[in-house]
Amino acid sequence: MQTFSTIDSMRTWCRQQSLEQRTIGLVPTMGALHDGHLFLVEAAKQRCDHCVTSIFVNPTQFAAHEDLDLYPRPLDEDLAKLERAGVEAVFLPSAEEMYPQQEGQTATTVQPSSVALPLEGVHRPEHFVGVATVVLKLFQAAPSDFAFFGRKDFQQLCVIEHMVRDLNLPTRIVPCEIVREPDGLAMSSRNRYLSEGERERALCLSRSLNKVEHAFREGERDTKRLESILAAHLSDCDSVDYAVVVDRESLLPMPQVMQNAVALIAARIGSTRLIDNRELQVD
Ligand code: AMP
């Protein structure tokens, strides 16, 4: 497994693979890797000749009060996991490499589509500008045929799909299913912040999504009633940013579920903010 810390060296390697007719699958991550990330790696390996994984804790997607400094960075463990998973190349840029100082200037950023505005956009206003910008920069640094993203970050996936469509990017996005712990908790690098008691309470997110999915399967289509089922099962959370059922494409509210929808939750357990979601498919 090769590691690259400069954009030039990473891009040269990718270009060489393309010249040799090998397809590349990119898996962008912020490290602290778990089986959710490794599932994306596996999907990339199945679909492409080579898998490139990036590890970069992107400062521009964190607000000043968020957990950038605390964010776990177990680099040696991460590299060992990627080596075992058979990844060919890892991109490990520094913040200076990705964001060179521009004296007295602000840098160019990506303005995401309106799908970035509700939900996370309300609670983390600059987050998706940071995400879209860094993903575009990663696509430029590691030009790939496919890029793999988890449905765990559902709104993020929508933002990236819209960016690829709207800016005519050549990389094809492959959405991957949410990987969960055996008891249902969606895997997340932030789960390691949870104490034992908080870990137990965190199960209410996936449980409430199970309940709403069950009600939906039984024929409930009234959004308010579906959302009250979600809320009723989130009392173990310390606070809830949102627990909603919205249109699958626009992420906007709708009174009745007439087309595909998604239930999305963002909530705090102790000081840890967790997100989870469940897609609701109309037959
Ligand atoms: P992160 O390191 O949290 O930025 O995540 C990197 C990628 O892994 C994103 O595309 C996430 O959606 C994806 N991911 C994170 N957790 C999971 C999970 N539990 N299942 C599937 N994909 C995930």
Side-chain angles (χ1 to χ4, degrees):
M1 185 174 80
Q2 300 190 57
T3 59
F4 300 94
S5 55
T6 66
I7 292 170
D8 274 353
S9 60
M10 184 73 254
R11 193 185 280 145
T12 303
W13 186 87
C14 288
R15 289 221 171 110
Q16 189 57 38
Q17 304 313 313
S18 300
L19 281 175
E20 293 170 16
Q21 311 293 328
R22 282 195 275 270
T23 56
I24 298 177
L26 174 66
V27 179
T29 80
M30 298 205 300
L33 302 179
H34 50 67
D35 285 352
H37 296 114
L38 297 178
F39 182 66
L40 270 55
V41 165
E42 195 44 49
K45 287 191 62 72
Q46 286 204 355
R47 185 121 182 204
C48 305
D49 296 318
H50 283 334
C51 173
V52 178
T53 302
S54 62
I55 299 179
F56 179 58
V57 183
N58 175 38
T60 68
Q61 70 190 67
F62 289 78
H65 63 276
E66 292 181 348
D67 57 343
L68 173 63
D69 294 334
L70 280 177
Y71 201 84
R73 292 167 171 85
L75 183 59
D76 291 344
E77 277 174 43
D78 284 352
L79 292 176
K81 285 179 186 170
L82 294 176
E83 178 102 61
R84 277 199 299 276
V87 164
E88 279 78 15
V90 186
F91 184 42
L92 293 169
S94 65
E96 294 70 34
E97 177 71 8
M98 290 296 276
Y99 300 105
Q101 287 289 332
Q102 341 246 335
E103 278 301 309
Q105 295 176 5
T106 56
T108 308
T109 55
V110 175
Q111 179 67 54
S113 84
S114 55
V115 82
L117 295 176
L119 309 169
E120 292 296 289
V122 171
H123 294 274
R124 307 181 73 190
E126 288 306 304
H127 175 66
F128 285 128
V129 173
V131 168
T133 304
V134 81
V135 169
L136 180 59
K137 287 164 80 83
L138 291 169
F139 285 4
Q140 297 294 98
S144 304
D145 301 277
F146 297 91
F148 296 76
F149 290 89
R151 293 187 194 275
K152 158 81 170 31
D153 298 86
F154 191 86
Q155 191 175 10
Q156 168 176 287
L157 176 62
C158 297
V159 165
I160 291 163
E161 283 177 330
H162 285 196
M163 176 177 77
V164 165
R165 179 198 66 193
D166 297 343
L167 301 183
N168 311 113
L169 303 183
T171 308
R172 271 175 283 171
I173 303 302
V174 184
C176 299
E177 292 314 313
I178 301 175
V179 178
R180 297 179 180 280
E181 302 285 356
D183 60 9
L185 180 68
M187 290 192 183
S188 163
S189 303
R190 290 188 168 99
N191 289 351
R192 64 180 75 194
Y193 299 151
L194 300 169
S195 68
E196 213 175 301
E198 288 172 344
R199 168 77 181 64
E200 190 56 37
R201 286 199 285 134
L203 288 176
C204 70
L205 273 78
S206 54
R207 277 201 205 113
S208 70
L209 292 168
N210 292 344
K211 297 285 181 197
V212 99
E213 185 178 24
H214 179 74
F216 183 80
R217 288 227 177 109
E218 297 283 294
E220 183 60 83
R221 292 290 183 272
D222 183 86
T223 306
K224 284 279 158 281
R225 280 204 288 271
L226 290 167
E227 289 180 348
S228 62
I229 294 171
L230 277 181
H233 292 89
L234 290 174
S235 53
D236 274 352
C237 298
D238 293 298
S239 64
V240 177
D241 281 351
Y242 55 80
V244 294
V245 175
V246 293
D247 179 73
R248 157 79 184 74
E249 302 301 323
S250 66
L251 304 189
L252 292 174
M254 52 189 174
Q256 293 279 324
V257 182
M258 305 299 285
Q259 50 214 354
N260 292 342
V262 56
L264 296 132
I265 301 172
R268 270 199 178 67
I269 306 285
S271 57
T272 306
R273 187 172 185 275
L274 299 175
I275 58 172
D276 200 353
N277 70 79
R278 185 74 46 85
E279 287 174 67
L280 305 171
Q281 209 105 348
V282 176
D283 300 322

